[in-house]
Amino acid sequence: MKSIRNITTLFVATFFVGLQAQTDRVVADTLITDTAAVVLPWPQNVQARLDSLVKTPLLETTQLGLMVYDLTADSILYSYGAKQTLRPASTMKLLTAVTAIDLLGGEYRLNTSLRYQGIVKDSVLTGDLICVGSMDPMFDTNDMRAFVESVRALGVDTIRGRLVAAPSFKEEELLGEGWCWDDDNPHLSSLLVERKDDFMSVFANMLREAGIVVEAPITTAPYSKDALMLCLRSHKLNEILVPMLKDSDNLYAESVFYQIAASQGAHTAKAAHARQIVKKELSKAGVTGVLYRIADGSGLSLYNYVTPELMVKLLCYAYRHTNIFMQLYPALPIAGQDGTLKKRMTNSSANGKVKAKTGTVTGISSLAGYLTSANGHVLAFGIFNQGVLRNADGRDFQDKVCTALCDE
């Protein structure tokens, strides 16, 4: 019996010693972990968070390109697959916006004018009413009403001649290169009203509704420089940038793309002209020796390819040039507040601190822009998720990255 008691006592003692050792290890590990969390300096703590995030199972089946640049410290904070050529989706609009602001300025105007040539006698215009457009996506019914009123102010109640759409601004193609034919694509017309390309028929109908007799066919033809101005309606570039970026409006982006194309004075603006000018802008931003491809201004094309490094270099360039940044930054969606980020990062430290452009097409989810970290540093970042069958997975990953960058 004595030996049994000794064995039992030894077993119990050994058990509690082992239990105490295990407890000591847990406590020690906790202390180490807590200490690391407390003493690990910035930016090492942020880098550790991102290292943990890129271990997600999502990357076993999809591609990721990620780059974060600390603009305050002027150094790369984090990079993962940043040199991969990936499809940007609507973050492509950042290239278009930065180039347009730098090249044209926010006060640049998109004009749509009404001119006439011929003779007005006894309230009859014997001649042409000519509409000259520059692909203004904001031209609406109120603008068209001003056109009609200018005809009435001329003292005309009958038009005998032609209603002419001047084909002088852009190439004839109504769709961009590499667009899917079955998408809900905008029509790239020089003359737009309420976003549609039925400008001339709407004009004719509104003239008739105003009591003006229209005995004039609708046609397309060049116009003489001697044609007299009746009415001019316009909108500024900085008015267009806000819906273009906050709401990711593809028509607005393509319109700005063609303004870039027309800036060099080409008689007919072409997408090819805009591509070359955007490439020059990227060169100014320090993008050299990088493989990339620009197809359109909105990101709808399947042929657009950029790298996260390219995107971040462009964002750094914009940040360092006040004339660009002061117009770009307010037009970006704000996490948890407005635009395409209104419903994202609402319950996190990133709410209100991230201003960035989203990008979404089938299989592609991206986010690029700026944020303010917990220590007050301004960061530029580009996150490209490619091959994601559920775009929500890409968005969720991007939100976690932004939160990790904003957390204390």
Side-chain angles (χ1 to χ4, degrees), residues 164-179:
V164 178
S168 59
F169 178 69
K170 67 173 291 294
E171 60 192 348
E172 294 182 0
E173 284 78 359
L174 294 181
L175 297 177
E177 180 185 8
W179 288 10

Side-chain angles (χ1 to χ4, degrees), residues 11 260 402:
F11 172 79
I260 293 169
C402 289

Side-chain angles (χ1 to χ4, degrees), residues 55-241:
K55 293 176 183 177
T56 173
L58 178 68
L59 299 189
E60 294 176 6
T61 56
T62 66
Q63 289 177 270
L64 169 67
L66 166 62
M67 187 169 185
V68 183
Y69 195 91
D70 187 333
L71 289 157
T72 305
D74 195 17
S75 61
I76 296 173
L77 178 62
Y78 197 83
S79 180
Y80 182 100
K83 294 184 181 294
Q84 293 187 82
T85 50
L86 303 169
R87 288 177 58 199
S90 280
T91 58
M92 194 72 186
K93 292 180 176 70
L94 289 170
L95 278 69
T96 304
V98 170
T99 303
I101 295 169
D102 199 17
L103 182 69
L104 305 173
E107 295 299 309
Y108 172 90
R109 289 184 174 273
L110 285 71
N111 297 321
T112 307
S113 64
L114 176 63
R115 303 164 185 262
Y116 80 98
Q117 55 188 18
I119 299 171
V120 178
K121 185 177 180 180
D122 298 330
S123 300
V124 177
L125 169 61
T126 304
D128 299 334
L129 283 178
I130 306 156
C131 298
V132 185
S134 61
M135 200 179 171
D136 180 359
M138 297 187 76
F139 190 98
D140 60 16
T141 303
N142 288 330
D143 294 307
M144 187 68 85
R145 190 170 292 113
F147 271 24
V148 173
E149 289 303 315
S150 71
V151 175
R152 290 169 59 90
L154 188 62
V156 170
D157 61 20
T158 303
I159 302 166
R160 291 178 181 153
R162 300 180 302 174
L163 300 183
V164 178
S168 59
F169 178 69
K170 67 173 291 294
E171 60 192 348
E172 294 182 0
E173 284 78 359
L174 294 181
L175 297 177
E177 180 185 8
W179 288 10
C180 293
W181 64 269
D182 57 347
D183 279 351
D184 183 18
N185 297 311
H187 283 185
L188 310 182
S189 174
S190 294
L191 286 165
L192 296 164
V193 57
E194 300 290 356
R195 306 176 58 89
K196 298 179 181 179
D197 63 342
D198 55 354
F199 190 101
M200 298 306 292
S201 60
V202 171
F203 182 41
N205 289 337
M206 288 185 67
L207 286 169
R208 292 187 177 100
E209 289 171 3
I212 299 172
V213 177
V214 180
E215 298 175 355
I218 296 172
T219 187
T220 300
Y223 71 97
S224 168
K225 293 181 179 179
D226 295 331
L228 300 175
M229 180 77 71
L230 265 181
C231 188
L232 176 67
R233 304 292 284 185
S234 66
H235 295 95
K236 294 180 181 180
L237 177 63
N238 55 22
E239 294 178 76
I240 290 171
L241 286 175

Side-chain angles (χ1 to χ4, degrees), residues 323-335:
N323 63 310
I324 302 174
F325 190 71
M326 293 302 289
Q327 297 191 62
L328 176 69
Y329 192 64
L332 292 172
I334 305 172

